[in-house]
Amino acid sequence: MSHQPPYPVAIVGLGRIAWKLEKDSLREKPATHVGAIFEEPRLQLVAGLDRDEGARDGFHREYQVPVFSDFDTMLGEVHPDFLVIATHPDSHLQYLRKAVEARIPLILCEKPLGMVEERFSPLLNRAQRLGLRIMVNHERRYSRDWQAARTLIESDELGRPLSFYARISMGRTRDPTSVLFWDGTHMLDALRFLFPGSWKVLDRWSGKKSCGKLVAQLQFGSVCGILDVSSGYDHLVFELEVQFTAGRLRIGNGIWEVWHSQPSPFYEGFRSLVRREERVWSTTNYFRGVMTDAADCLEDPSRKPLSTGRDGWEALKIIRTLLGVH
């Protein structure tokens, strides 16, 4: 049985996404799990766990909470209602299993849900039978700009969505397969969020290895499009362009453009797209939204998280299909 608020929270993995990115002066804050926990009054951080002594020492100096090197020892001393798993993906499944066996009411796992070769359906089914809820940190579901994109799509303001083009790059040297696994999971989940329904990989192909490119044709709901994961750029790329019958939306990191169809100023008898809105979202509340949802779930045992374990598994299944893993 869960406690009353503030609900006790423990975090496994004490690295960048757990807390260290709070020190990045350019990132929107909160930028980490711990930063967002401290901003949610219904949550209380009670413990941290990491196998690395230096990570434990640094975390304890920063937050003055108990730190542990062993999961069972931690659970023997603290009894969290909410566990955050922020380790490397190769240990996500291990800690998810431990958390489910310990019957922790709410579990949040970093993306991707796990390694490509792992299967999660049995574990998710067991958690459901036990009445436990698993969340995955696909944070764009909680981000105000991506939520506004979904509202725009549903409003029919730009007509019916016809196609999309999604581009991702993490710099010159990052291999596209690695980028697809680590960062593509965000884009794939965002596409499922914007275009609910079933998904299909219609075609997948890649150029020569020297091209550093993975390209695939996918369908989400009734909308088909292209996923382009590339290396070679000297800058980060994470953007999605959606073409509608009467407009266009372009959204991504630091990008928000809405174009409307209107009588063309260039050609008689035709229509052209004109940009009506361009903005930079100063705050998207992406991490804050994750922890608000978590606290709401702890208050309401019947609530379904906005980003569930099954959402994380669907994104991983798409990646498996794109990489030919059976």
Side-chain angles (χ1 to χ4, degrees):
M1 178 176 291
S2 62
H3 303 78
Q4 295 297 312
Y7 301 102
V9 185
I11 184 166
V12 180
L14 305 177
R16 290 176 77 249
I17 200 64
W19 69 280
K20 290 184 177 180
L21 288 178
E22 293 298 322
K23 298 183 182 297
D24 185 331
S25 62
L26 298 180
R27 286 180 184 258
E28 177 188 335
K29 303 299 187 298
T32 64
H33 294 286
V34 171
I37 289 168
F38 275 99
E39 291 203 9
E40 173 48 66
R42 293 171 293 172
L43 302 177
Q44 180 180 8
L45 184 68
V46 296
L49 184 149
D50 202 289
R51 291 178 294 182
D52 182 77
E53 183 179 4
R56 296 195 302 273
D57 290 345
F59 187 76
H60 181 69
R61 284 195 303 270
E62 188 76 16
Y63 296 107
Q64 291 80 52
V65 297
V67 291
F68 299 87
S69 60
D70 177 75
F71 188 83
D72 294 330
T73 302
M74 181 181 74
L75 290 192
E77 295 194 25
V78 299
H79 305 282
D81 288 336
F82 179 26
L83 181 76
V84 177
I85 300 171
T87 59
H88 189 277
D90 64 5
S91 62
H92 286 178
L93 182 57
Q94 168 195 345
Y95 284 114
L96 280 166
R97 282 175 173 158
K98 285 177 175 288
V100 169
E101 290 308 311
R103 305 199 178 189
I104 296 174
L106 183 65
I107 307 156
L108 170 61
C109 186
E110 253 305 321
K111 60 77 195 170
L113 186 61
M115 303 302 288
V116 171
E117 69 275 7
E118 296 171 333
R119 296 180 181 274
F120 285 84
S121 290
L123 181 63
L124 297 174
N125 291 339
R126 176 160 173 73
Q128 185 175 8
R129 287 195 302 270
L130 293 172
L132 313 177
R133 284 163 295 175
I134 296 175
M135 303 171 62
V136 174
N137 188 33
H138 280 137
E139 61 212 27
R140 281 164 182 80
R141 288 177 178 256
Y142 297 95
S143 186
R144 292 166 58 209
D145 49 350
W146 289 84
Q147 290 181 346
R150 178 163 168 165
T151 300
L152 182 65
I153 292 169
E154 292 173 344
S155 73
D156 204 36
E157 178 182 330
L158 301 179
R160 180 169 57 89
L162 296 176
S163 64
F164 65 83
Y165 189 93
R167 297 176 59 237
I168 313 170
S169 177
M170 293 294 123
R172 289 188 188 277
T173 59
R174 281 280 301 277
D175 176 71
T177 299
S178 169
V179 173
L180 175 67
F181 177 67
W182 285 97
D183 306 283
T185 180
H186 277 305
M187 181 64 80
L188 294 170
D189 184 70
L191 287 164
R192 289 190 64 243
F193 175 65
L194 295 179
F195 308 116
S198 61
W199 57 266
K200 295 179 184 178
V201 174
L202 302 175
D203 199 3
R204 60 184 176 90
W205 68 97
S206 58
K208 294 180 180 178
K209 189 172 182 181
S210 60
C211 295
K213 194 179 234 0
L214 187 155
V215 181
Q217 184 182 20
L218 303 100
Q219 180 175 341
F220 293 88
S222 62
V223 184
C224 299
I226 299 296
L227 174 68
D228 176 347
V229 185
S230 302
S231 59
Y233 302 102
D234 71 351
H235 53 279
L236 304 181
V237 180
F238 190 98
E239 61 185 57
L240 172 68
E241 183 175 294
V242 183
Q243 297 282 353
F244 298 78
T245 53
R248 177 170 65 198
L249 168 67
R250 184 166 168 258
I251 182 175
N253 293 352
I255 300 168
W256 175 268
E257 297 176 359
V258 180
W259 300 64
H260 288 253
S261 173
Q262 67 176 41
S264 176
F266 310 111
Y267 313 104
E268 289 185 359
F270 288 90
R271 299 179 69 85
S272 296
L273 289 178
V274 175
R275 188 166 57 198
R276 291 283 185 85
E277 183 182 355
E278 181 178 13
R279 64 180 294 190
V280 175
W281 296 73
S282 57
T283 57
T284 66
N285 291 334
Y286 66 108
F287 248 117
R288 188 177 288 108
V290 173
M291 293 306 166
T292 298
D293 191 25
D296 288 344
C297 285
L298 289 167
E299 285 192 335
D300 179 2
S302 67
R303 179 182 174 88
K304 178 183 176 182
L306 183 58
S307 178
T308 69
R310 294 197 181 277
D311 291 319
W313 176 223
E314 287 299 317
L316 193 57
K317 285 198 291 185
I318 300 171
I319 293 171
R320 289 164 60 95
T321 304
L322 288 170
L323 297 180
V325 176
H326 304 289

